[in-house]
Amino acid sequence: MQIGVLKERRAGETRVAATPDTVKKLVAAGCKITVESGAGAGSQISDALFQEAGASIAPNAAAAAASDVVLKIQRPMTAAEGTDEIGYLKSGSVLMAHLSALTDKPLMQALASQGVMSFALELMPRISRAQSMDILSSQSNLAGYKAVVDAAATFGRAMPMMMTAAGTIAPARVLVFGAGVAGLQAIATAKRMGAVVYATDVRYATKEQVESLGGKFIVVDEEKMKAAQTAGGYAKEMDDDFKKKQADAVRAEVAKSDIVITTALIPGRPAPRLVAGDVVALMKAGSVIVDLAAEAGGNVEGTVKDQAVMTANGVTILGYTNMSARLGRDSSSLFARNIFNFLTLMLEKGTGNLKINWEDELVKGTLVTKDGRIVHPSLAG
């Protein structure tokens, strides 16, 4: 079976969907790998390293995409976006990537019309068996870390308490909204850097996790928080009454914070607004906000997608999207392993050919298009 790895063309994307390590393992499993020339440049992985691992190098996207299985990081581009990557895919081929399936149905229809069988990796079920295949978790982990590093670099003061003969410097006060994978990593990173860390989440079940990392959990409405987690482990969107209570509870905390990091996302929906402009106006000059939900509209009023902006009262709001791509080498390594672990479920031992178990819940959970149709329950109809 031929597997093609395409170079990412979307702005700011540094990652690649395979690494020399995963290429070597796929070749050992009986697959042939073709990598588009320059696909690993953003992650400091040269064509020569891919060749040493057993891959052949294709001169362009069309040559790499002429494969049985195509691996990407982000959804393919359309002709309207400048490059018709969908047109490179042959009918009957398999595509695996973060497809943004729930928010881009026209693209899913285009893939179906092209005859492509597509798997949206962001829809991987949140079950223990799938943890090694969960791209959202692996990438969010790095995003949470990078959010704190970027905030610390922008913040004009030290993070830890410093006691000197000339006096004592108080530690930075960090507030994290959302205690999912990104939030928990942000809490852990900020704590390691010496900050005093507070956190809030609509899910009461995260309280113990926050406290185990040294953070202080802000409780809003215990009963509603205990019912705020879906079976898949995501946070539910809360009612207006809870949102008001949450806003009141965290208003004073935001005003006292030096750094605020927001991570709240709801799959397939705009990001909930957690910090209003009048609350940002209460923060001290020199404070920093990192909005990890910028791509979905932002949790913070005043966030500008892919920009750093300063408010009238001197607060810097970082609205960078695709934060994990700012750590291209490591994020590629984890993403590629996620894909490898998922793909090997479908490989027939000894031949390297596809042998898909259509009843596998991981397959059913991620399969979006097949036989010219959109088949995922969340998009069908």
Tab-separated table of all heavy atoms in Angstrom, residues 26-27 32 43 104 116 178 186 317-318:
chain	number	residue	atom	x	y	z
A	26	LEU	N	6.214	2.339	9.520
A	26	LEU	CA	5.261	1.990	8.457
A	26	LEU	C	5.920	1.168	7.359
A	26	LEU	O	5.315	0.247	6.810
A	26	LEU	CB	4.643	3.261	7.874
A	26	LEU	CG	3.626	3.970	8.791
A	26	LEU	CD1	3.285	5.344	8.245
A	26	LEU	CD2	2.366	3.124	8.946
A	27	VAL	N	7.163	1.507	7.053
A	27	VAL	CA	7.911	0.712	6.062
A	27	VAL	C	8.105	-0.706	6.585
A	27	VAL	O	7.941	-1.693	5.847
A	27	VAL	CB	9.271	1.380	5.750
A	27	VAL	CG1	10.156	0.426	4.931
A	27	VAL	CG2	9.068	2.688	4.999
A	32	LYS	N	4.649	1.433	1.558
A	32	LYS	CA	5.559	2.298	0.810
A	32	LYS	C	5.170	3.749	1.113
A	32	LYS	O	3.998	4.095	1.054
A	32	LYS	CB	5.458	2.020	-0.693
A	32	LYS	CG	5.904	0.621	-1.094
A	32	LYS	CD	5.774	0.414	-2.593
A	32	LYS	CE	6.227	-0.986	-3.002
A	32	LYS	NZ	6.066	-1.208	-4.472
A	43	SER	N	9.353	21.833	10.476
A	43	SER	CA	9.640	21.088	11.706
A	43	SER	C	11.099	20.666	11.794
A	43	SER	O	11.453	19.793	12.584
A	43	SER	CB	8.748	19.838	11.768
A	43	SER	OG	7.394	20.198	11.752
A	104	ASP	N	-17.066	22.660	8.716
A	104	ASP	CA	-16.827	22.872	7.278
A	104	ASP	C	-17.495	21.770	6.456
A	104	ASP	O	-16.832	20.973	5.796
A	104	ASP	CB	-15.322	22.922	6.996
A	104	ASP	CG	-14.997	23.549	5.646
A	104	ASP	OD1	-15.930	23.717	4.824
A	104	ASP	OD2	-13.821	23.874	5.400
A	116	VAL	N	-13.390	10.370	-2.023
A	116	VAL	CA	-12.370	10.133	-1.005
A	116	VAL	C	-13.015	9.594	0.279
A	116	VAL	O	-14.046	10.095	0.715
A	116	VAL	CB	-11.614	11.440	-0.683
A	116	VAL	CG1	-10.628	11.238	0.470
A	116	VAL	CG2	-10.890	11.955	-1.923
A	178	GLY	N	-10.538	27.035	32.199
A	178	GLY	CA	-10.623	25.747	31.526
A	178	GLY	C	-9.541	24.807	32.009
A	178	GLY	O	-8.347	25.107	31.880
A	186	ALA	N	-1.073	24.295	31.233
A	186	ALA	CA	-0.767	25.695	31.538
A	186	ALA	C	-0.592	25.890	33.043
A	186	ALA	O	0.326	26.593	33.494
A	186	ALA	CB	-1.876	26.597	31.008
A	317	ILE	N	-3.217	41.336	24.699
A	317	ILE	CA	-4.020	40.141	24.425
A	317	ILE	C	-3.391	39.407	23.247
A	317	ILE	O	-3.302	39.945	22.135
A	317	ILE	CB	-5.481	40.491	24.093
A	317	ILE	CG1	-6.106	41.320	25.218
A	317	ILE	CG2	-6.297	39.215	23.851
A	317	ILE	CD1	-7.533	41.792	24.912
A	318	LEU	N	-2.926	38.184	23.489
A	318	LEU	CA	-2.334	37.342	22.440
A	318	LEU	C	-3.406	36.428	21.881
A	318	LEU	O	-3.966	35.608	22.613
A	318	LEU	CB	-1.172	36.529	23.007
A	318	LEU	CG	-0.050	37.310	23.714
A	318	LEU	CD1	1.043	36.350	24.189
A	318	LEU	CD2	0.531	38.375	22.801
